[in-house]
């Protein structure tokens, strides 16, 4: 099992077809879970929709540095605790 950065396009199948929300979020960073060189899951981070949330968390000076985990999706049937790894 390995995790590496992936392109936005690589996340679409997982997010649109496997995640319960079935819509693309704002993605700044995307990572893929590879098992035997096959993409089996994605984890994405992006800017929160609320600027006031960003300011409230880190203040005016650092609000641009706030990101949130917005999608975490893996194929069914993977080993227990795969998402925790």
């Amino acid at each position: 099992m390995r995790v590496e950065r992936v392109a936005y396009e690589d996340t679409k199948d997982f997010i649109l077809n496997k995640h319960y929300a079935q819509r693309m979020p704002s993605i700044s960073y995307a990572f893929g879970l590879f098992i035997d060189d096959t993409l089996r899951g994605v984890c994405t981070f992006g800017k929160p929709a609320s600027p006031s949330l960003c300011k409230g968390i880190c203040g005016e000076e650092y609000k641009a540095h706030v990101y949130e985990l917005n999608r975490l999706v893996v194929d069914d049937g993977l080993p227990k605790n795969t998402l925790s790894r």
Side-chain angles (χ1 to χ4, degrees):
M1 230 182 260
R2 76 179 193 284
V3 174
E4 62 184 54
R5 196 153 180 191
V6 295
Y8 175 87
E9 290 298 318
D10 296 328
T11 68
K12 283 187 172 183
D13 179 54
F14 284 91
I15 293 172
L16 295 176
N17 298 314
K18 297 177 183 178
H19 191 270
Y20 68 89
Q22 296 184 325
R23 66 176 189 81
M24 294 300 290
S26 167
I27 297 175
S28 300
Y29 302 99
F31 299 90
L33 172 68
F34 291 86
I35 300 175
D36 297 327
D37 294 322
T38 301
L39 183 61
R40 301 291 306 271
V42 297
C43 175
T44 65
F45 298 86
K47 301 298 288 179
S50 170
S52 61
L53 171 85
C54 297
K55 184 178 176 183
I57 290 172
C58 291
E60 185 69 36
E61 184 179 354
Y62 297 104
K63 68 181 181 182
H65 301 286
V66 175
Y67 292 88
E68 66 181 353
L69 168 67
N70 52 25
R71 295 292 186 272
L72 180 59
V73 189
V74 295
D75 286 335
D76 290 333
L78 293 183
K80 185 177 178 179
N81 297 322
T82 297
L83 291 171
S84 298
R85 292 180 81 175

